[in-house]
């Protein structure tokens, strides 16, 4: 966006100084017109958690303000001090986490986040992907593998007793199988593999075990075809 705006400004100056003609100015100015809207992020104040009250934090990030810094500590997500994006954007680690939390607070578009995080839409997208990649690379085993902390024999017994007290006819049920289809862009190759005839979209399927405490005990995916991995349970 900045490069397009700079080129347009230079073209206007050149045209005002009669360095280019009308026939040259019109197509060049149109060529450097960005298809993306200019949201004017420069007019907003930089992100500052201290200026947000608890209600805004809970609404925008779905986490209590007092608990937000705890997510970044060494006992939780191990968020680094700084995130470096591929196009050389730099973001504070805490702000990067909040960008991801705000983005995943449905419904939310990147353009909706500019007032809180005054950055270009492209930068917000890159920061979100960078934080997601970091969390997945370092913590994916908590949901893709058997989690000894939340799926110990003692915990499983507690889950089963809790479900049984709610009226379940089973006394050994510790979780609930859940699945979802996440739409994706239509791929150039292998479209039939990821096309979902029920949802009428191209998508990837995930299945998980939801525990009574609201956590995900195990997740399987993504896959394109039908899932029957839990039938033996």
């Amino acid at each position: 966006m900045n490069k397009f705006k700079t080129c347009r400004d230079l073209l206007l100056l050149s045209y005002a100084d009669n360095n280019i003609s009308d026939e040259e100015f019109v197509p060049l100015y149109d060529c450097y017109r960005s298809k993306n809207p200019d949201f004017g992020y420069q007019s907003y104040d930089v992100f500052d958690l201290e200026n947000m009250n608890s209600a805004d934090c809970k609404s925008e990030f779905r986490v209590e303000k007092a608990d937000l810094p705890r997510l970044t500590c060494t006992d939780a997500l191990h968020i680094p001090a700084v995130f470096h994006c591929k196009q050389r954007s730099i973001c504070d680690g805490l702000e990067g986490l909040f960008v991801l939390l705000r983005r995943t607070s449905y419904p939310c578009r990147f353009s909706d986040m500019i007032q809180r995080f005054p950055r270009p839409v492209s930068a917000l997208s890159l920061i979100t992907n960078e934080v997601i990649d970091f969390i997945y690379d370092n913590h994916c085993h908590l949901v893709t593998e058997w989690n000894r902390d939340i799926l110990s024999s003692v915990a499983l017994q507690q889950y089963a007793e809790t479900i049984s007290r709610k009226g379940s006819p089973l006394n050994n049920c510790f979780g609930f199988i859940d699945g979802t289809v996440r739409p994706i862009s239509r791929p150039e190759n292998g479209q039939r593999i990821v096309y979902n005839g029920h949802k009428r979209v191209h998508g990837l399927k995930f299945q998980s075990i939801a525990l009574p405490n609201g956590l995900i005990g195990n997740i399987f995916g993504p896959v394109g075809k039908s899932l029957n991995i839990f039938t033996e349970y």
Side-chain angles (χ1 to χ4, degrees):
M1 178 67 74
N2 288 334
K3 292 182 178 180
F4 280 108
K5 186 177 185 303
T6 301
C7 290
R8 291 198 302 272
D9 292 342
L10 291 175
L11 286 170
L12 288 172
L13 291 174
S14 298
Y15 181 71
D17 293 337
N18 295 320
N19 293 326
I20 56 177
S21 63
D22 295 346
E23 292 78 7
E24 294 172 323
F25 172 75
V26 173
L28 287 173
Y29 192 81
D30 186 67
C31 178
Y32 286 99
R33 187 185 303 275
S34 175
K35 296 180 180 179
N36 299 320
D38 188 357
F39 293 104
Y41 61 90
Q42 301 92 338
S43 60
Y44 298 106
D45 295 331
V46 297
F47 172 73
D48 187 0
L49 180 62
E50 297 300 325
N51 293 333
M52 297 184 64
N53 57 47
S54 299
D56 289 338
C57 286
K58 186 66 177 294
S59 174
E60 295 188 23
F61 305 134
R62 298 184 297 182
V63 180
E64 297 290 348
K65 183 177 181 180
D67 296 333
L68 284 170
R70 296 172 57 189
L71 293 176
T72 66
C73 67
T74 56
D75 296 330
L77 294 178
H78 306 274
I79 298 296
V82 177
F83 284 106
H84 297 271
C85 299
K86 294 181 179 179
Q87 94 317 356
R88 293 183 294 181
S89 290
I90 298 177
C91 178
D92 177 79
L94 194 63
E95 181 182 357
L97 175 62
F98 295 156
V99 169
L100 174 61
L101 292 174
R102 182 69 182 96
R103 172 59 175 165
T104 53
S105 179
Y106 182 84
C108 179
R109 299 173 297 179
F110 286 117
S111 57
D112 300 329
M113 301 164 56
I114 292 179
Q115 293 186 8
R116 180 63 66 191
F117 308 100
R119 294 174 180 268
V121 168
S122 58
L124 291 175
S125 177
L126 288 167
I127 291 171
T128 301
N129 292 337
E130 192 73 23
V131 180
I132 289 177
D133 290 342
F134 173 84
I135 293 177
Y136 180 82
D137 292 341
N138 291 273
H139 306 287
C140 65
H141 63 280
L142 296 177
V143 292
T144 59
E145 300 176 7
W146 191 261
N147 192 330
R148 301 292 178 182
D149 295 329
I150 64 173
L151 295 174
S152 64
S153 59
V154 176
L156 293 177
Q157 183 64 37
Q158 292 177 344
Y159 302 152
E161 292 175 353
T162 300
I163 295 173
S164 179
R165 286 196 299 268
K166 288 295 184 178
S168 171
L170 302 175
N171 58 9
N172 59 351
C173 175
F174 67 87
F176 304 91
I177 299 171
D178 193 12
T180 183
V181 177
R182 308 307 300 170
I184 63 172
S185 300
R186 184 178 62 185
E188 294 183 0
N189 302 314
Q191 297 180 17
R192 187 181 299 274
I193 298 176
V194 294
Y195 182 73
N196 186 282
H198 175 65
K199 299 291 185 179
R200 298 292 190 273
V201 296
H202 292 85
L204 297 175
K205 294 183 177 181
F206 298 82
Q207 278 189 342
S208 65
I209 299 177
L211 301 175
N213 58 7
L215 298 178
I216 295 176
N218 182 266
I219 190 170
F220 178 83
V223 297
K225 298 181 179 179
S226 61
L227 300 179
N228 297 309
I229 60 172
F230 293 127
T231 54
E232 60 185 52
Y233 281 75

